[in-house]
Amino acid sequence: MRHLSCPACGNRVFFENYACLACGTQFAFSPRTGQMAPLFGDNAILACANRQQYACNWTSDDGEPMCRSCRLDSVIPNLSFAGNLERWRKIEQAKRRVVYDFIRLGLPIEPRGPGNQSGLTFQFLSANLTVAPVMTGHDSGLITLDIAEADDAVREHRRTEMLEPYRTLVGHFRHELAHYFFERLVLPSSDIQACRAVFGDERADYQQALQIHYRGGAPPDWGLHFISAYASAHPYEDWAETFAHFVHIVATMDTALDLGFGGEPSQAISDPYTTEDFEALIKAFLPITEKVNEINRSMGQPDMYPFVLSDEVKGKLHFIHMIVAKNSRTHAGNMRTPEVAA
Ligand SMILES: [Zn+2]
Ligand SMILES: [Zn+2]
Ligand SMILES: [Zn+2]
């Protein structure tokens, strides 16, 4: 995340802010310019309709009342239930961060509609209100999230129960969008053969693979071949887990470089989201994780990045980098206009 400034006084503000603490100016984030825009006065811009409930701090989009992120929702939590407004705010906050990632990556992140059947839609469901259990997952552009994942206690309980080192709302969104982009960008393209050579054949029986994984666990040497134990369950999950990590890496590097960690932004990685240089990206990322992990331990906090990248995993990440670059509208060499200004 690049640093943001108050449009009136220039004070540093953050992605989640609605107003400037220094001068009181009300603003909203414009995904079109990548800047905060004022809501009043000259150059005033319209806020997303979900701002009323403080569920969103983005600008409205294309004459629509809602922003680019909120327009992706088809089902939001039932706000008449206690706690759901707070859960929804947390969910939307994480989703905006991830929508921002994909805008910066230049990948298509548009609402599903009559003219766009390959678009995306999100539904946020509660197990209290459905007959069947709510499964967080992706199905042909429909991303479902169990809103209980917004409760820290519930999410942490599930994380430890499933022996996961990392479980966050941002991580869920990056993972499920990875499934979407596999279906949208890789499956219909000639890259599918190469993808199967790298990740395995995703046509292998999925339910059976998951049953075997949950019954017997990951193979003991999974760390040599996979980014996570869950990635070893099935090629489809290996792709999604690895793709999510590619986004973790570019998003973290973007923030780190902006904050001046890891030295001056080099020529090779002036923009981690669109850099051509995968090797430079990984080389810059790993020392930062070592340092921040150590800082976290000093505070008794879990590691920021509790993962090890084996050579095989780096190869998989490199393949994903290639797929993203090929399909990006903001990537160098592509003629389409960037939506978030550099
Ligand atoms: Zn200000
Ligand atoms: Zn919004
Ligand atoms: Zn998955």
Side-chain angles (χ1 to χ4, degrees):
M1 177 69 52
R2 293 211 178 107
H3 76 271
L4 296 164
S5 308
C6 167
C9 76
N11 182 45
R12 176 160 200 175
V13 298
F14 297 94
F15 190 61
E16 287 77 18
N17 290 165
Y18 289 80
C20 175
L21 286 178
C23 75
T25 295
Q26 297 262 326
F27 50 66
F29 178 78
S30 164
R32 210 160 281 284
T33 64
Q35 306 288 335
M36 292 300 189
L39 297 186
F40 303 100
D42 298 341
N43 309 318
I45 200 156
L46 210 59
C48 170
N50 281 344
R51 187 183 177 96
Q52 296 157 3
Q53 290 143 315
Y54 283 88
C56 182
N57 71 336
W58 278 21
T59 60
S60 67
D61 180 56
D62 272 347
E64 298 282 339
M66 276 191 261
C67 74
R68 281 199 65 180
S69 176
C70 292
R71 283 172 63 202
L72 300 169
D73 296 348
S74 49
V75 180
I76 64 161
N78 185 329
L79 301 180
S80 57
F81 284 80
N84 275 4
L85 178 60
E86 201 41 46
R87 290 185 190 98
W88 186 42
R89 283 176 185 158
K90 286 188 193 170
I91 288 166
E92 293 296 344
Q93 198 168 82
K95 178 161 138 276
R96 284 196 297 280
R97 219 166 239 278
V98 176
V99 170
Y100 172 91
D101 289 330
F102 285 92
I103 294 173
R104 289 283 300 275
L105 287 169
L107 296 184
I109 187 142
E110 296 130 7
R112 186 190 282 181
N116 188 5
Q117 284 309 316
S118 58
L120 267 168
T121 188
F122 288 78
Q123 55 175 359
F124 303 130
L125 304 182
S126 166
N128 302 329
L129 296 173
T130 53
V131 270
V134 175
M135 301 298 286
T136 293
H138 165 262
D139 181 13
S140 309
L142 170 67
I143 290 175
T144 302
L145 180 82
D146 173 5
I147 64 167
E149 290 287 333
D151 292 329
D152 294 344
V154 172
R155 195 181 59 255
E156 187 62 11
H157 176 75
R158 290 176 182 174
R159 186 188 71 74
T160 46
E161 202 174 54
M162 298 175 90
L163 307 174
E164 294 171 348
Y166 172 89
R167 190 178 181 98
T168 65
L169 289 171
V170 161
H172 281 309
F173 285 128
R174 288 178 181 155
H175 177 104
E176 300 310 335
L177 281 163
H179 285 308
Y180 169 69
F181 285 112
F182 175 81
E183 268 187 29
R184 177 146 181 193
L185 304 177
V186 183
L187 202 54
S189 80
S190 57
D191 293 319
I192 186 64
Q193 275 87 12
C195 187
R196 285 177 184 146
V198 174
F199 291 95
D201 194 332
E202 84 292 346
R203 292 167 297 188
D205 191 320
Y206 182 72
Q207 294 308 334
Q208 191 188 33
L210 284 198
Q211 272 173 18
I212 292 169
H213 175 76
Y214 286 124
R215 210 179 300 137
D221 65 345
W222 64 263
L224 288 174
H225 313 290
F226 302 96
I227 187 64
S228 66
Y230 184 55
S232 73
H234 189 273
Y236 194 57
E237 295 307 335
D238 190 14
W239 161 273
E241 286 284 273
T242 314
F243 191 110
H245 273 261
F246 176 74
V247 186
H248 294 336
I249 291 167
V250 293
T252 303
M253 274 311 297
D254 194 53
T255 306
L257 290 174
D258 189 70
L259 293 171
F261 288 18
E264 289 299 305
S266 69
Q267 200 70 25
I269 43 170
S270 61
D271 182 348
Y273 285 96
T274 57
T275 181
E276 301 270 344
D277 194 339
F278 176 78
E279 299 295 334
L281 183 67
I282 294 296
K283 218 172 126 192
F285 174 69
L286 291 177
I288 289 170
T289 64
E290 282 166 22
K291 286 175 193 160
V292 181
N293 284 350
E294 195 58 19
I295 291 171
N296 279 16
R297 288 169 205 158
S298 312
M299 277 298 292
Q301 294 282 9
D303 286 0
M304 173 202 73
Y305 191 75
F307 300 95
V308 175
L309 302 180
S310 71
D311 286 343
E312 199 176 324
V313 168
K314 285 180 197 162
K316 291 176 181 180
L317 286 164
H318 198 166
F319 181 81
I320 283 168
H321 178 245
M322 188 270 290
I323 294 286
V324 169
K326 212 173 152 175
N327 289 283
S328 168
R329 68 184 78 170
T330 56
H331 205 266
N334 193 308
M335 300 306 287
R336 290 160 80 177
T337 317
E339 286 179 292
V340 172

